[in-house]
Amino acid sequence: MNMVPYNEDFEKAVIVSVLTDPRLLPKVSAIIGPEDFYRAKHREIFKAINSIEAESLDSLAVADKLSDETKTYFQNLVEDSERIVPSISNVLYYAETVRDKSKLRAGIDLGQSIISVCYGPDTEEAMHELEGMFASFIQRRVVENKGTATLSTFKQFIASLQTRKPDDPNAIKTGFTDLDLMVQKLEGLTVLAARPGMGKTALALNIIRNVAASQRNVVFFSLEQPQTQIFERMLSAESGVPLEDIRLGIFNHDETQQDQIQFGRKKLEHLMEYIHIDDRADVNNSYISSVSRQKKYEWGDIGLIVVDYLHIMRLNDKQKVDALGDAVKELRALGKELGAPVLLLAQLRRESAEDRGKKNHRPDLPDLRSSGEIEQSADMVWFIYRESYFDMAGEAPDTDVAEIIVRKSRNGRQGIISLEWKPTIQKFSDLPEMTTRR
C-alpha cells in the first residue's frame, strides 16, 4: 500500500527552527503556509506561530494560542528541540521539502476528486467542474511565493512605478487613438452595447484585428455568425473591397479588387496566428471558460477575450435578469483568472413608442437589457450611436460618423469620441482630424 507523501521530521524541524530563531519566519512563511503541513497539530502550531509578531515570538506565546491537546504535544516538541534540528541553517530546505510533499498530496486529492466527479450523470457539468479543478490546482501550485507579505508586495509596486511610461507596451489598446486616450487601456470586463445594425460586431472585429496586430493573442467567441461570415467581414475591412462584392464574388471580375483581396489576405494570414475564432452557437459560460483556459495553457498568454454576444448565451436556470448578471460576473472572474481583459457585446432593449418620439436617441445605462446587473459587474460600458441610424429619409451614407459613448469607466474617463464608419467595408477608423473628445 502506498504511503501518504509527507515528512514528519522535517515538519517538526521547521517549527523548532523558527522558534529557535524567529528572524527565519518571514523566509519560511514565503515558502509554506499552515495548510502545507500534513499533521493537524503541526498545522495548528504553525498557524499560531504566524499570528505572532517575530519580535514577540517564543514558545510561551505560541503555547497560549493552542488547544490543550496540542499544547502538550508542543511542549514535548520544544523540550526535544536539540535532537529534532541538527542545524537551523537547513530550515529553508526543510520548508521546501514540506511544500513539495504538500503538492503531491494536493495532486492525490485532485485525482480522487476527478474520479468522484466522473461518476456524475451530467457530462457537460462534469467537464466544467474538471476544468475548474485543474485551473484551481495549477493556479495554486504555480505560485511559489504565496506567503509574500503585503508590505513586500507594496514595495515591489512602488519600485515598478519608476519604469512606468505613458505608452505602456504591455497595455491592451483598442487601436483607436481618441478611444485609447479616454479609457487608457482595456482591462477587466468591458460591455459594448448597441442596437441591431449599429456596428457592434464590426467594432469588435476591428479591435480584435488591432490587438492581434500588436502581437497579442485573442480568443473570439462568435455565437451568432459562423467563421465564414467573420472572415468575409475581416477581409472586407482589411482589403477595402465592399463586403457585398466579396459575398457575391463580384471581385473576381475586377483586377483592382483582386489585387486588394490578395493584399488583405496576406495581412490577415499573419494576424490569424494570434486569433482563435470559436463559432459554436448556444454555448454557456462553462464552455467559454474551458476553451479560454485551453488557449491560455497553449499560448501562455491571452491579450483579449471577446464574446458576441451576451443575450444569446445559454444561461443558467435562474430568472433571466439574475442569470444575465451571473454570466457577466463569471466572465469577469474568468478574465481575472487568466489575466486577460474581456470585451462582452450586448443588445440594447427595444425602443418603445415613447422612445421613438424623443429627439435624442443616444443610449444610456437604463437602455441595457437587465442593466442593473450588467452595469454593476462591468468595469466599462460603451455604447455605439449613429444619427443616420434614425434618419428614415434614406439609406446610411457610404462614410458616416459613429459616436462611441463611454458611459462607465472604473479607472478612466467618461465621455464621447467619434470614429469614421464605412458600412460597405465594415470598418471603423480614426477621423482625419481628431477633434472628437468631449
Side-chain angles (χ1 to χ4, degrees):
M1 181 178 178
N2 293 329
M3 300 293 291
V4 176
Y6 81 101
N7 190 312
E8 184 163 2
D9 290 339
F10 280 17
E11 290 190 4
K12 291 178 179 178
V14 169
I15 292 170
V16 172
S17 294
V18 294
L19 286 173
T20 303
D21 187 353
R23 294 174 300 178
L24 295 169
L25 182 57
K27 292 182 179 180
V28 171
S29 294
I31 298 172
I32 56 173
E35 70 280 359
D36 288 310
F37 290 83
Y38 176 68
R39 291 295 184 194
K41 289 185 175 66
H42 294 164
R43 290 197 295 271
E44 183 182 349
I45 293 168
F46 198 74
K47 184 177 180 181
I49 289 172
N50 270 333
S51 69
I52 302 169
E53 295 291 335
E55 57 269 19
S56 304
L57 183 59
D58 61 29
S59 59
L60 291 177
V62 174
D64 188 54
K65 294 178 175 290
L66 302 177
S67 64
D68 291 340
E69 184 180 355
T70 304
K71 187 180 297 184
T72 302
Y73 174 84
F74 174 68
Q75 289 169 344
N76 293 332
L77 201 64
V78 172
E79 290 172 3
D80 205 18
S81 59
E82 289 186 7
R83 183 193 63 81
I84 292 173
V85 186
S87 172
I88 63 172
S89 63
N90 292 328
V91 65
L92 298 184
Y93 170 70
Y94 302 148
E96 288 169 355
T97 303
V98 170
R99 178 201 59 200
D100 291 345
K101 299 296 184 183
S102 175
K103 287 182 178 182
L104 293 175
R105 293 196 302 276
I108 293 171
D109 291 342
L110 176 64
Q112 292 172 340
S113 298
I114 289 172
I115 293 172
S116 176
V117 167
C118 289
Y119 278 108
D122 190 325
T123 301
E124 186 168 342
E125 183 179 336
M127 292 301 103
H128 175 54
E129 196 169 341
L130 291 177
E131 288 282 350
M133 287 179 181
F134 280 117
S136 176
F137 176 78
I138 291 171
Q139 264 195 315
R140 186 172 63 248
R141 294 303 161 184
V142 162
V143 179
E144 297 291 345
N145 193 17
K146 60 185 174 181
T148 302
T150 301
L151 176 59
S152 175
T153 305
F154 177 71
K155 288 179 178 178
Q156 292 173 16
F157 160 73
I158 293 298
S160 72
L161 293 179
Q162 307 302 318
T163 60
R164 285 194 179 182
K165 299 178 181 179
D167 188 17
D168 181 2
N170 296 316
I172 304 299
K173 304 281 190 176
T174 68
F176 299 108
T177 305
D178 280 2
L179 185 55
D180 287 330
L181 285 172
M182 182 170 288
V183 303
Q184 301 167 14
K185 61 181 178 181
L186 290 169
E187 58 183 343
L189 184 137
T190 299
V191 172
L192 172 61
R195 292 185 171 86
M198 193 67 79
K200 291 189 302 294
T201 301
L203 182 58
L205 287 174
N206 291 174
I207 292 173
I208 288 170
R209 181 257 179 229
N210 294 339
V211 172
S214 67
Q215 299 185 334
R216 301 299 297 272
N217 298 313
V218 183
V219 183
F220 176 39
F221 295 93
S222 177
L223 281 67
E224 189 174 34
Q225 299 184 43
Q227 274 193 348
T228 303
Q229 292 182 14
I230 298 299
F231 293 153
E232 289 172 345
R233 284 167 166 258
M234 295 184 75
L235 184 58
S236 177
E238 197 67 37
S239 67
V241 175
L243 178 61
E244 183 177 352
D245 291 0
I246 292 176
R247 291 180 63 84
L248 298 177
I250 294 173
F251 72 92
N252 285 316
H253 305 284
D254 186 317
E255 290 186 4
T256 300
Q257 286 192 344
Q258 289 178 32
D259 291 340
Q260 289 176 270
I261 291 289
Q262 288 304 313
F263 173 81
R265 176 187 65 79
K266 290 178 181 178
K267 291 287 292 291
L268 286 176
E269 281 182 353
H270 170 69
L271 295 176
M272 287 301 173
E273 294 179 14
Y274 301 96
I275 302 172
H276 173 79
I277 300 174
D278 189 305
D279 63 353
R280 180 175 170 181
D282 192 34
V283 302
N284 57 14
N285 257 327
S286 301
Y287 179 80
I288 291 172
S289 298
S290 175
V291 172
S292 298
R293 287 175 181 136
Q294 289 172 16
K295 300 311 293 184
K296 169 76 171 182
Y297 301 147
E298 177 184 334
W299 286 335
D301 172 71
I302 295 178
L304 180 65
I305 299 169
V306 182
V307 180
D308 183 13
Y309 62 95
L310 171 64
H311 293 92
I312 56 174
M313 286 176 59
R314 182 148 49 88
L315 304 172
N316 59 35
D317 295 332
K318 295 182 181 179
Q319 291 186 352
K320 189 157 189 178
V321 173
D322 294 333
L324 285 169
D326 287 347
V328 176
K329 290 173 186 174
E330 289 171 13
L331 285 171
R332 188 177 189 276
L334 174 67
K336 185 176 180 181
E337 174 195 328
L338 301 183
V342 177
L343 181 61
L344 174 61
L345 278 59
Q347 198 80 277
L348 292 180
R349 65 176 177 80
R350 293 182 180 275
E351 276 197 308
S352 64
E354 181 182 350
D355 292 330
R356 286 191 289 272
K358 293 179 180 178
K359 291 184 178 180
N360 185 2
H361 294 278
R362 286 183 178 85
D364 205 348
L365 293 171
D367 295 311
L368 274 172
R369 291 166 62 184
S370 311
S371 60
E373 291 293 335
I374 297 173
E375 177 192 350
Q376 183 178 356
S377 299
D379 294 277
M380 290 189 280
V381 178
W382 305 346
F383 299 107
I384 305 175
Y385 171 76
R386 289 187 287 108
E387 187 65 38
S388 63
Y389 183 89
F390 299 94
D391 184 3
M392 305 304 292
E395 296 180 359
D398 290 341
T399 299
D400 201 359
V401 174
E403 293 181 353
I404 309 302
I405 304 169
V406 180
R407 189 60 184 84
K408 177 183 178 182
S409 183
R410 202 183 296 274
N411 297 314
R413 291 177 289 159
Q414 296 182 30
I416 302 174
I417 67 101
S418 295
L419 296 175
E420 185 177 71
W421 164 238
K422 293 184 177 180
T424 58
I425 61 172
Q426 297 287 293
K427 187 173 183 178
F428 288 88
S429 54
D430 290 325
L431 286 173
E433 294 182 7
M434 294 179 295
T435 58
T436 60
R437 293 189 299 278
R438 62 180 187 267

